[in-house]
């Protein structure tokens, strides 16, 4: 009876429709964005004298709350712009097909047939402005990297998705995520020498996930755009093989030199997904190889340095499941990959 109420009662359709303007920010994407910024903070912790902080501290830091509020507004505004660009440039299919594509890859978005496109643009501009303002009040040191991150997403993202080039997509994703990563780093420790030394670790950590994501993106998009092709040698087997060597190297480097315990555990935990994918090689193995690492890094960060990150992830995950199920009849987000996904 209780289960039926939460699943089938008509009131949920009304409630979920009221959440449209919250989810226009592409709320599930914050499971990735918050983790990247927090990973930058954690890596900075581990590169300096760590005797002054404690693991799993539940003390409130109001400066952190202000920064994360500013980030939510800024990144949410950028998400709106990116989603409008995707609707305009990324596909030759209808907006309805794009939004309802329950494929565990593209975060379902709210197209202009649900919300007014002009209002979405205005909300995006206001949100970005307020986000930068709030971040600047709390931490002026990360404003340069945050502004560069915003500029690249606003003016180069549409070019990248129009070109539909695999290598270009990978480079763009690596670069923009790095700007967000070093923003988290600089928020805690301003040391460009340490950041430069850490770049190889960052590249090894993100490369397997980004390669898997972009491969699935191109494979699924090619079903609708027949002219969309991958460069020679870019296939599931080669990406899994490269990722395995990258993750082994990452683990050996971080473990032997005691560089970053979060990253060394991350590499070791996600490695079996790529090994399994290499031998079986099904499309859903590629999907798992970028969904599960997102879950792993969030858990590792929240169970070590940032316990409130777990609370944020828990709330975002389940409110998103509630919204997409009752609004669109979609199981999203989810970690169980069905046979037909």
């Amino acid at each position: 009876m209780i289960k039926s109420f939460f699943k089938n009662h008509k009131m949920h359709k009304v409630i979920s429709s009221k959440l449209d303007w919250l989810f226009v920010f592409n709320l599930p994407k914050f499971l990735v964005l918050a983790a990247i910024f927090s990973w930058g903070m954690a890596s900075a912790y581990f590169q300096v004298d760590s005797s002054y902080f404690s693991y799993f501290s539940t003390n409130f830091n109001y400066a952190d709350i202000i920064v994360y509020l500013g980030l939510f507004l800024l990144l949410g505004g950028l998400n709106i712009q990116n989603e409008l660009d995707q609707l305009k440039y990324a596909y030759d299919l209808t907006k309805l097909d794009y939004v309802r594509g329950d494929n565990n890859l593209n975060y379902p978005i709210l197209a202009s047939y649900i919300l007014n496109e002009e209002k979405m643009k205005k909300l995006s501009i206001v949100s970005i402005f307020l986000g930068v303002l709030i971040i600047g009040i709390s931490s002026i040191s990360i404003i340069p990297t945050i502004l560069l991150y915003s500029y690249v997403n606003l003016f180069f993202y549409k070019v990248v998705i129009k070109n539909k080039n695999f290598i270009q997509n990978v480079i763009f994703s690596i670069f923009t995520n790095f700007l967000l990563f070093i923003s988290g780093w600089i928020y805690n420790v301003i040391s460009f020498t340490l950041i430069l030394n850490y770049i190889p670790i960052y590249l090894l950590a993100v490369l397997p996930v980004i390669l898997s994501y972009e491969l699935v993106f191109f494979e699924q998009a090619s079903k609708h755009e027949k002219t969309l092709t991958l460069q020679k040698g870019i296939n599931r087997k080669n990406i899994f093989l490269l990722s395995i060597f990258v993750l082994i190297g990452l683990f050996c480097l971080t473990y032997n030199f005691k560089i970053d315990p979060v990253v060394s555990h991350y590499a070791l935990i996600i490695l079996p997904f790529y090994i399994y994918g290499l031998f079986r090689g099904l499309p859903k193995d590629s999907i798992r190889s970028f969904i599960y690492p997102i879950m792993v890094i969030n858990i590792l960060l929240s169970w070590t340095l940032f316990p409130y990150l777990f609370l944020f992830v828990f709330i975002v995950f389940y409110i998103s499941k509630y919204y997409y199920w009752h609004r669109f009849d979609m199981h999203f987000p989810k970690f169980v990959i069905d046979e037909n996904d």
Side-chain angles (χ1 to χ4, degrees):
M1 181 178 178
I2 296 178
K3 181 179 179 181
S4 177
F5 170 79
F6 281 106
K7 187 174 182 179
N8 301 317
H9 198 282
K10 62 181 180 181
M11 66 173 285
H12 299 300
K13 289 291 184 182
V14 178
I15 295 174
S16 61
S17 67
K18 303 298 183 183
L19 297 176
D20 286 345
W21 283 106
L22 173 62
F23 278 86
V24 74
F25 286 107
N26 200 345
L27 206 58
K29 195 173 182 180
F30 284 92
L31 298 177
V32 180
L33 301 178
I36 293 172
F37 185 83
S38 300
W39 174 31
M41 292 174 62
S43 298
Y45 277 135
F46 291 122
Q47 303 312 305
V48 299
D49 181 12
S50 59
S51 60
Y52 66 92
F53 71 90
S54 58
Y55 286 95
F56 208 78
S57 174
T58 56
N59 294 329
F60 270 104
N61 187 326
Y62 291 102
D64 291 349
I65 295 174
I66 293 173
V67 165
Y68 273 94
L69 174 61
L71 281 172
F72 177 82
L73 292 171
L74 170 65
L75 298 176
L78 292 174
N79 286 345
I80 296 174
Q81 291 292 333
N82 288 347
E83 290 159 3
L84 291 174
D85 288 339
Q86 288 177 23
L87 289 173
K88 187 174 182 179
Y89 299 113
Y91 297 103
D92 293 330
L93 54 156
T94 66
K95 295 176 181 179
L96 180 63
D97 289 337
Y98 179 65
V99 172
R100 291 185 179 274
D102 185 14
N103 53 24
N104 273 284
L105 174 61
N106 300 304
Y107 298 119
I109 67 174
L110 297 170
S112 57
Y113 74 90
I114 299 175
L115 298 175
N116 182 274
E117 187 171 335
E118 290 303 315
K119 288 184 179 179
M120 290 170 65
K121 291 179 180 178
K122 291 178 182 178
L123 175 62
S124 173
I125 294 171
V126 172
S127 183
I128 292 171
F129 174 79
L130 288 177
V132 173
L133 180 63
I134 292 172
I135 292 171
I137 292 173
S138 180
S139 177
I140 193 68
S141 61
I142 67 174
I143 285 296
T145 52
I146 285 296
L147 287 178
L148 182 57
Y149 176 86
S150 303
Y151 178 81
V152 172
N153 274 279
L154 286 172
F155 297 103
F156 287 92
Y157 180 73
K158 64 184 68 177
V159 177
V160 171
I161 60 176
K162 284 173 67 176
N163 290 343
K164 300 180 177 67
N165 180 281
F166 180 86
I167 300 298
Q168 192 176 77
N169 278 33
V170 169
I171 294 173
F172 179 85
S173 184
I174 289 174
F175 178 68
T176 52
N177 286 323
F178 181 66
L179 291 175
L180 191 57
F181 171 84
I182 62 174
S183 296
W185 184 303
I186 294 172
Y187 176 65
N188 274 334
V189 179
I190 301 178
S191 174
F192 294 102
T193 301
L194 290 176
I195 292 174
L196 290 174
N197 292 335
Y198 196 88
I199 288 178
I201 304 299
Y202 166 82
L203 292 174
L204 292 174
V206 302
L207 187 61
V209 180
I210 291 176
L211 287 174
S212 296
Y213 174 87
E214 295 298 341
L215 177 67
V216 176
F217 175 86
F218 272 77
E219 285 180 340
Q220 294 182 347
S222 64
K223 297 176 183 178
H224 305 283
E225 299 186 38
K226 302 304 180 183
T227 59
L228 189 64
T229 58
L230 289 167
Q231 289 89 335
K232 185 178 180 180
I234 299 176
N235 55 59
R236 208 172 295 138
K237 181 179 180 180
N238 288 343
I239 285 180
F240 277 130
L241 188 61
L242 173 63
S243 298
I244 289 170
F245 284 113
V246 167
L247 290 172
I248 292 174
L250 176 62
F251 173 74
C252 292
L253 184 62
T254 54
Y255 178 78
N256 290 328
F257 292 95
K258 295 179 172 51
I259 296 176
D260 191 327
V262 168
V263 174
S264 61
H265 283 80
Y266 161 85
L268 190 62
I269 293 170
I270 71 172
L271 178 59
F273 300 127
Y274 292 87
I275 295 175
Y276 190 73
L278 175 65
F279 286 101
R280 190 168 68 166
L282 295 179
K284 63 181 180 180
D285 295 318
S286 296
I287 297 175
R288 286 192 178 104
S289 66
F290 66 80
I291 287 181
Y292 290 169
I294 293 170
M295 174 183 65
V296 168
I297 192 64
N298 273 290
I299 291 175
L300 288 174
L301 289 171
S302 60
W303 288 5
T304 52
L305 298 176
F306 311 116
Y308 292 113
L309 178 63
F310 177 79
L311 182 62
F312 171 79
V313 169
F314 182 86
I315 293 174
V316 168
F317 182 81
Y318 281 102
I319 195 175
S320 297
K321 288 186 74 69
Y322 174 87
Y323 173 77
Y324 287 114
W325 171 253
H326 292 289
R327 193 75 168 99
F328 300 109
D329 297 322
M330 299 170 64
H331 285 294
F332 183 88
K334 60 182 181 178
F335 292 116
V336 177
I337 311 302
D338 300 329
E339 291 298 326
N340 59 347
D341 284 340

